[in-house]
DNA sequence: CGTTAATTTGAGACCATTCAATTTCGGTGG
DNA sequence: CCACCGAAATTGAATGGTCTCAAATTAACG
């Protein structure tokens, strides 16, 4: 019983999207699973794999990633607790990208068949899964815009705005300070820039008094300014609450 | 009856993904709809709208797009017949991007409630919708990689490879020649390049004997070469058939 | 056959990259 | 607790890919 409160992050994420009945919630928390921990940069899943289990992030962070022939790496998304690393792969059959752990993280491994059956039986659950997928897709779309059309300053500012709102929504921040142990190299891989230029751009943002980014935590010093620089509009996150909270900041 | 064969592109797309029963197929073709035509660059849906109808592309092409504050435009995806322009918006409630017609196109407008009810009632249909969404998301992910990490030559080559395979899969090509009336400006907006540089890059690809791109149609002269230049791997399209066909080309 | 859209060309400027070296930070063992 | 180590962050200088701006040419269309 109380064991299964480990799956609370999942119920939390889903109940933000849809109305879950008491029975829905019970069924979610009763899902069978085993726990697993991942070291920094350890793979949760690899491109080409055909998983039979679903990996749900419980603690820590992860990122989706693809590697080019020339060795270059592009980060495609960041994952926060309560999100699945490989739901797509479990539905489509084959993973089309890699997922790596951002820091030391912990995940629940749930048998694929059980999870998909739950969706089949419970309309609210499958609506939640459906919606989570759609929001994930929306975020990636915005990344295409970010990486395709914004200069380095706006690109990084935009990404930091997104991270702030999503962490806020995940309950992992106090409105201005966020625990997000990302390296500049990972930031570079997420924005399509080089580590060197990422470093210089971060310095500029700091110099302008917009942020404070020390290893492990991100502090937003001037939310409205950062938003302005990043050409940021939170509509694409489909997550009203957290955005409003940050907007009301000084 | 025969009227409703207009929805055949939808049944076709879906049946590529899942096994549709006869009854499923009947139910799909019996969906109520009205037809609408769109001029080049006309909007099928706009960011911020809260649609009550679903727009299914029947003939012609369309593209997803976002506009920046500074006026820049980034194309996020191309749509082929049989795909929905605004299914996400209908599930999430609000459109988070724009969809424009690539050329003169035709669409079926289906009441949202009816379509979602069909998904609720027919497991195969909702699996097809689910899968279509996931594949769409996979494609956008690859676009992040394309725009974020590849140089202009690889970027355009990769995009052309994708277009070729998807058109092949949609039955709109003979293996090497495809009817795809895209302008260089649209190609530029899709790759995150300027029209000028897109033009120069296309010239390079032509000079190397890889493609022939005249207004309105794309001809692949050297598939394997183009694939090589574009660092292209079709796994992310989750569409085995069409890729294999092209691979077997000279 | 005129008119507008689309493509093509040229030259200079700039943003981001590359390559290499240095400094700082975080963690670990003595 | 300090010395050490590897990882991460920072700095410098030169190169280069892509952009900008503008103009010319070609193609599409009524």
């Amino acid at each position: 019983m109380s064991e299964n409160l480990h799956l609370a992050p999942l119920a939390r994420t889903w109940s933000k999207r849809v109305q879950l009945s008491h029975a829905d919630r019970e069924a979610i928390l009763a899902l069978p699973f085993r726990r697993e921990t991942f070291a920094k940069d350890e793979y949760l899943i690899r491109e080409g794999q055909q998983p039979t289990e679903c990996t749900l992030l419980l603690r820590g962070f992860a990122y989706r990633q693809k590697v080019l022939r020339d060795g270059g790496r592009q980060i495609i998304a960041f994952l926060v607790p309560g999100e699945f690393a490989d739901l797509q792969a479990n539905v489509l059959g084959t993973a089309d990208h890699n997922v790596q752990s951002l820091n030391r993280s912990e995940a629940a491994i749930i048998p694929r068949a059980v999870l998909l059956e739950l969706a089949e039986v419970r309309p609210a659950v499958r609506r939640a899964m459906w919606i989570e997928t759609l929001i994930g897709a929306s975020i990636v779309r915005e990344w295409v815009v970010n990486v395709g059309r914004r200069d380095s300053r706006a690109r990084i500012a935009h990404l930091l705005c997104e991270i702030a709102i999503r962490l806020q929504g995940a309950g992992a921040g106090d409105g201005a300070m966020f625990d997000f142990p990302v390296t500049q190299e990972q930031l570079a891989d997420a924005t399509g820039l080089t580590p060197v230029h990422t470093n210089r751009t971060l310095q500029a943002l700091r110099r302008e008094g917009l942020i404070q980014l020390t290893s492990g935590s991100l502090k937003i010093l001037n939310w409205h300014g950062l938003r302005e620089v990043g050409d940021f509009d939170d509509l694409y996150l489909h997550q009203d609450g957290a955005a409003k909270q940050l907007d009301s900041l000084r």
Side-chain angles (χ1 to χ4, degrees), chain A residues 52-68:
Chain A
T52 57
E53 300 180 303
C54 298
T55 308
L56 172 72
L57 195 57
L58 293 179
R59 249 168 10 84
F61 303 97
Y63 56 90
R64 304 188 187 282
Q65 168 261 98
K66 280 193 169 187
V67 178
L68 305 199

Side-chain angles (χ1 to χ4, degrees), chain A residues 7 18 95 133 160 178 180 188 193:
Chain A
L7 293 183
V18 301
T133 307
L160 295 180
F178 304 93
F180 194 67
L193 300 169

Side-chain angles (χ1 to χ4, degrees), chain A:
Chain A
M1 293 297 144
S2 80
E3 241 328 72
N4 279 350
L5 277 185
H6 284 121
L7 293 183
L10 179 57
R12 181 181 195 284
T13 307
W14 282 354
S15 62
K16 276 194 299 189
R17 312 298 183 198
V18 301
Q19 184 73 26
L20 290 178
S21 71
H22 188 67
D24 289 331
R25 182 175 211 83
E26 289 288 301
I28 293 168
L29 295 179
L31 282 167
F33 69 96
R34 68 169 203 278
R35 287 204 284 167
E36 211 158 289
T37 64
F38 295 91
K40 176 172 196 299
D41 289 325
E42 190 177 345
Y43 279 79
L44 307 208
I45 185 159
R46 283 176 191 274
E47 189 173 348
Q49 279 186 337
Q50 310 192 341
T52 57
E53 300 180 303
C54 298
T55 308
L56 172 72
L57 195 57
L58 293 179
R59 249 168 10 84
F61 303 97
Y63 56 90
R64 304 188 187 282
Q65 168 261 98
K66 280 193 169 187
V67 178
L68 305 199
R69 190 180 35 190
D70 70 6
R73 178 177 77 162
Q74 176 68 45
I75 291 180
I76 294 156
F78 288 114
L79 300 182
V80 303
E83 296 184 332
F84 281 99
D86 53 8
L87 196 50
Q88 313 107 29
N90 272 287
V91 174
L92 288 174
T94 307
D96 51 48
H97 63 278
N98 308 295
V99 182
Q100 275 180 287
S101 191
L102 185 73
N103 53 347
R104 168 164 276 273
S105 68
E106 190 183 348
I109 315 288
I110 305 172
R112 154 205 174 118
V114 178
L115 189 66
L116 295 184
E117 175 60 20
L118 185 71
E120 214 47 54
V121 169
R122 301 202 163 265
V125 166
R126 71 170 170 262
R127 283 230 346 268
M129 288 171 61
W130 179 237
I131 288 174
E132 190 189 326
T133 307
L134 291 176
I135 293 177
S138 174
I139 294 176
V140 181
R141 262 181 250 126
E142 183 65 35
W143 279 44
V144 173
V145 178
N146 203 35
V147 159
R149 282 279 171 246
R150 286 194 256 262
D151 66 19
S152 63
R153 223 168 70 102
R155 220 182 277 192
I156 289 186
H158 191 282
L159 178 59
L160 295 180
C161 285
E162 175 184 313
I163 289 172
I165 290 194
R166 289 183 58 204
L167 290 183
Q168 180 73 10
D174 71 347
M177 186 71 142
F178 304 93
D179 180 66
F180 194 67
V182 70
T183 66
Q184 292 185 7
E185 187 176 6
Q186 290 164 335
L187 232 36
D189 283 342
T191 49
L193 300 169
T194 55
V196 171
H197 197 61
T198 300
N199 177 280
R200 295 187 166 120
T201 307
L202 283 171
Q203 287 181 48
L205 294 177
R206 275 194 289 243
R207 208 175 312 121
E208 297 170 52
L210 296 173
I211 60 165
Q212 192 177 313
L213 185 65
T214 60
S215 67
S217 73
L218 162 67
K219 188 169 188 179
I220 310 277
L221 298 178
N222 178 352
W223 171 249
H224 296 287
L226 192 64
R227 214 185 145 103
E228 185 72 15
V229 169
D231 185 23
F232 185 82
D233 178 345
D234 64 277
L235 175 71
Y236 75 99
L237 291 173
H238 296 272
Q239 186 176 322
D240 307 310
K244 296 267 166 52
Q245 280 177 54
L246 283 173
D247 286 349
S248 66
L249 285 182
R250 160 188 48 90

